[in-house]
């Protein structure tokens, strides 16, 4: 089992990561990445602790491994996966959207379906996937992924863009591998991951075969550059002022491939447009990874509901009918996602290769409403905190300045909380709803799985309309123009 110190030591390799116009020299100690790196290290330490029940014996090797990287082969395995994923999610309160178990879940499903990775006659991509998944399990690899093309044009696919290989694609085929060039987004957590899975989930056409590839690349690969959005941790004045920003900012990055060599053993799909779709949707990877994500979201919504409940109690309004109504609505919203996660587990079943898949109907039903549920949760929390999040002192320095503290203690307290605790709570609320970190998370949850028509399309295709349609057709066929209402006088007393 990998420890947190093992993970942090691995970040010492040379990486070409750019922030604010400069190359990052030491990822593990840079103020933009050290906080999230130490958060991830804490996850690995938890998994290695026998008390967490996150370890299992690898049936293939007999080694002790993290169950979150293994393929669930029974209902018990699936339940244990959810419980382990919940342990990690509770450690970050759901604010780390791309923890190591997310992409790990995709590869657990990939490995269960080698037939989806057909050989091209020269290379055994199925064997590549199996061997790479074995590495993930044995080494507890933390993978990020970049599976969306850069937004050069959303009206056309990459073959129609001006310029050669804007989206990452094949620049050269060699006997020992391929050379790729171009860019791909959006590698959340990529700067602190071990490796990055690169593919394309956006539908491509036959003329896009140069871009129809999937591969894994070390973050430190020669020629790979990561351009990160503005990080939030360095500008945070303290953990007291920004308790979420200073711990859980994953950073998102644009990957630029400047003729990066990818050995064949790291290639899983090659110039195969249909193969891109197979890897996600025929293997069960998409539903497995998104079940993990909905589990994480359920924990996050529970945490936001907890903030709201505590704010109401501190303000002494938690008995007001209007406030109880809002808290009740929060409870409903959080429960819907949690119920979707549990329903998916309840309705799970093994597929033809023995992968125990969560019920797609429940997973996509919850995910389809994510972009509507999350903003509503934030709106309720904003309503409950009101101007309280704007009244707090500017920083922790105000709380430690004796000249200011007397006034703060007198005027910024509540009947149920001294000033220091009230300010602490409302700064947490602000970091959840109003800070730059909060704004990024709002956008992230809105577009977590793509545009609304994409997400609801998953729900439409996986709901199973055949049954309801058959019920409606049967009911319609039970009456016609000649039908008359039943005669009440013919009903027996027993009825």
């Amino acid at each position: 089992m990998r420890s947190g110190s093992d993970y942090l030591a691995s970040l010492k390799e040379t990486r070409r990561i750019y922030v604010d116009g400069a190359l990052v020299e030491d990822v593990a100690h840079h103020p933009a990445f050290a906080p999230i790196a130490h958060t991830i290290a804490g996850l690995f330490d938890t998994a290695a602790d026998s008390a967490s029940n996150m370890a299992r014996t690898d049936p293939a090797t007999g080694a002790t491994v993290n169950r979150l990287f293994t393929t669930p082969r029974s209902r018990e395995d699936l339940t244990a996966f959810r419980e382990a994923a919940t342990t990690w999610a509770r450690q970050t309160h759901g604010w780390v959207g791309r923890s190591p178990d997310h992409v790990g879940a995709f590869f657990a499903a990939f490995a269960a379906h080698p037939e989806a990775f057909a050989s091209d006659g020269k290379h055994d991509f199925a064997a590549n996937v199996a061997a790479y998944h074995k590495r993930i399990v044995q080494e507890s690899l933390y993978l990020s992924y970049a599976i969306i093309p850069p937004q050069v044009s959303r009206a056309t696919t990459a073959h129609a863009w001006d310029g050669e290989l804007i989206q990452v694609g094949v620049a050269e085929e060699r006997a020992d591998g391929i050379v790729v060039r171009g860019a791909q987004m959006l590698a959340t957590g990529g700067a602190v991951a071990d490796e990055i899975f690169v593919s394309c989930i956006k539908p491509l056409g036959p003329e896009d075969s140069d871009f129809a590839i999937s591969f894994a690349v070390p973050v430190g690969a020669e020629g790979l550059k990561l351009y990160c959005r503005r990080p939030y941790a360095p500008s945070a004045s303290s953990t007291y002022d920004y308790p979420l920003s200073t711990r859980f900012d994953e950073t998102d990055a644009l990957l630029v491939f400047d003729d990066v060599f990818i050995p064949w053993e790291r290639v899983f799909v090659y110039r195969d447009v249909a193969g891109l779709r197979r890897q996600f949707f025929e293997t069960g990877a998409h539903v497995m990874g998104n079940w993990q994500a909905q589990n994480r979201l359920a924990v996050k919504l529970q945490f936001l509901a907890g903030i709201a409940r505590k704010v109401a109690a501190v303000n002494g309004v938690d008995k007001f009918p209007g406030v109880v109504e809002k808290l009740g609505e929060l409870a409903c919203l959080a429960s819907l996602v949690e119920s979707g996660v549990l329903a998916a587990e309840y309705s799970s079943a093994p597929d033809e290769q023995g992968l125990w898949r969560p019920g797609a109907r429940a997973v996509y039903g919850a995910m389809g409403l994510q972009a509507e549920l999350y903003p509503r949760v934030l709106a309720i929390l904003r309503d409950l905190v009101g101007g309280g999040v704007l009244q707090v002192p500017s920083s922790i320095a105000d709380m430690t300045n004796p000249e200011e503290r007397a006034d703060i203690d007198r005027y910024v307290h509540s009947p149920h909380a001294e000033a220091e605790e009230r300010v602490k709570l409302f700064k947490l609320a602000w970091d959840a709803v109003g800070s730059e970190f909060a704004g990024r998370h709002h956008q992230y949850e809105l577009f977590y799985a793509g545009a609304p028509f994409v997400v609801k399309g998953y729900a439409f295709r996986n709901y199973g309309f055949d049954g309801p349609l058959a019920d409606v057709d049967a009911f319609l066929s039970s009456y016609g123009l000649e039908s008359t209402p039943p005669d009440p006088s013919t009903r027996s007393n027993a009825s």
Side-chain angles (χ1 to χ4, degrees):
M1 294 288 282
R2 189 183 198 184
S3 69
S5 58
D6 293 336
Y7 161 71
L8 291 173
S10 72
L11 296 179
K12 293 180 180 179
E13 67 175 5
T14 300
R15 299 173 176 216
R16 298 190 67 80
I17 299 168
Y18 292 89
V19 175
D20 291 332
L23 180 66
V24 174
E25 297 290 341
D26 184 349
V27 172
H29 293 91
H30 189 281
F33 307 109
I36 185 61
H38 281 81
T39 293
I40 299 298
L43 297 181
F44 282 119
D45 281 337
T46 295
D49 183 351
S50 59
S52 70
N53 294 318
M54 293 181 65
R56 66 170 295 184
T57 299
D58 183 357
T61 65
T64 301
V65 297
N66 187 335
R67 70 171 62 254
L68 287 172
F69 299 128
T70 64
T71 302
R73 295 291 186 180
S74 66
R75 185 182 296 276
E76 291 73 22
D77 282 351
L78 200 65
T79 298
F81 178 97
R82 175 186 47 83
E83 291 172 346
T86 301
T87 295
W88 267 4
R90 291 202 180 285
Q91 196 162 333
T92 66
H93 305 290
W95 292 96
V96 175
R98 295 288 189 251
S99 51
D101 48 330
H102 182 65
V103 181
F106 278 77
F107 269 89
F110 288 168
H113 283 271
E115 78 287 352
F117 300 88
S119 169
D120 66 353
K122 296 184 294 183
H123 310 99
D124 189 348
F125 298 122
N128 291 354
V129 167
Y132 190 76
H133 177 246
K134 184 177 180 180
R135 272 198 64 210
I136 293 173
V137 173
Q138 291 179 340
E139 301 175 28
S140 287
L141 289 182
Y142 171 22
L143 267 69
S144 174
Y145 63 13
I147 57 175
I148 306 171
Q151 289 188 352
V152 173
S153 170
R154 303 181 77 175
T156 58
T157 51
H159 78 279
W161 296 352
D162 291 336
E164 180 190 8
L165 296 179
I166 303 300
Q167 178 179 337
V168 64
V170 180
E172 179 186 355
E173 178 180 332
R174 297 179 2 189
D176 53 349
I178 60 175
V179 176
V180 296
R181 185 184 306 150
Q184 201 78 334
M185 59 183 264
L186 188 62
T188 300
V192 295
D194 295 306
E195 303 200 354
I196 300 174
F197 170 57
V198 181
S199 188
C200 183
I201 199 168
K202 177 182 177 180
L204 299 179
E207 54 280 294
D208 293 305
S209 61
D210 283 347
F211 312 98
I213 52 178
S214 290
F215 59 87
V217 61
V219 179
E222 184 177 355
L224 175 61
K225 295 176 282 189
L226 278 70
Y227 293 99
C228 299
R229 60 146 170 85
R230 198 181 82 77
Y232 309 131
S235 60
S237 49
S238 73
T239 301
Y240 180 87
D241 294 317
Y242 294 95
L244 303 176
S245 300
T246 53
R247 288 185 172 100
F248 306 131
D249 182 25
E250 299 165 271
T251 71
D252 309 287
L254 174 72
L255 306 186
V256 173
F257 296 84
D258 188 5
D259 287 356
V260 177
F261 173 67
I262 309 296
W264 281 118
E265 60 266 23
R266 288 178 164 273
V267 178
F268 314 123
V269 175
Y270 183 63
R271 296 181 185 269
D272 184 357
V273 173
L276 292 180
R277 308 300 291 172
R278 284 198 309 272
Q279 70 177 345
F280 289 119
F281 299 104
E282 293 185 19
T283 64
H286 196 264
V287 72
M288 188 70 189
N290 282 292
W291 185 57
Q292 179 277 339
Q294 289 304 299
N295 187 63
R296 187 271 316 165
L297 178 63
V299 171
K300 185 178 185 181
L301 295 184
Q302 291 164 11
F303 187 71
L304 288 168
I307 295 175
R309 182 68 181 85
K310 190 168 182 65
V311 164
V314 165
N315 282 344
V317 297
D318 54 339
K319 301 295 191 296
F320 291 8
V323 172
V324 171
E325 179 187 5
K326 293 183 185 302
L327 292 173
E329 184 178 348
L330 267 181
C332 292
L333 297 171
S335 295
L336 284 175
V337 179
E338 181 183 1
S339 298
V341 170
L342 296 176
E345 182 179 327
Y346 176 80
S347 58
S348 63
D351 63 20
E352 67 280 3
Q353 295 291 350
L355 169 67
W356 206 274
R357 297 193 189 191
R361 180 177 185 170
V363 171
Y364 294 121
M367 193 171 80
L369 292 177
Q370 183 170 341
E372 296 162 49
L373 293 178
Y374 193 76
R376 181 57 187 155
V377 168
L378 295 187
I380 294 172
L381 182 52
R382 282 180 176 277
D383 195 3
L384 291 173
V385 298
V389 291
L390 306 179
Q391 179 190 277
V392 292
S394 58
S395 77
I396 195 173
D398 297 310
M399 303 297 294
T400 56
N401 183 343
E403 293 183 19
E404 301 175 64
R405 185 58 186 266
D407 285 338
I408 293 172
D409 285 343
R410 182 176 183 182
Y411 298 114
V412 194
H413 72 280
S414 293
H416 302 291
E418 297 296 328
E420 184 174 331
E421 288 305 308
R422 177 187 169 84
V423 171
K424 186 178 183 181
L425 172 62
F426 276 77
K427 280 186 174 289
L428 169 60
W430 178 251
D431 211 11
V433 302
S435 67
E436 198 167 8
F437 173 87
R440 181 265 176 192
H441 269 264
H442 191 172
Q443 195 75 0
Y444 173 85
E445 302 295 2
L446 281 174
F447 295 99
Y448 157 75
F453 77 92
V454 174
V455 184
K456 289 183 171 63
Y458 295 142
F460 168 76
R461 288 187 293 275
N462 288 278
Y463 178 73
F465 275 101
D466 289 348
L469 278 174
D471 287 345
V472 171
D473 287 340
F475 183 75
L476 287 171
S477 66
S478 70
Y479 62 92
L481 292 175
E482 73 288 352
S483 300
T484 58
D487 184 354
S489 65
T490 64
R491 297 179 66 193
S492 68
N493 293 331
S495 65

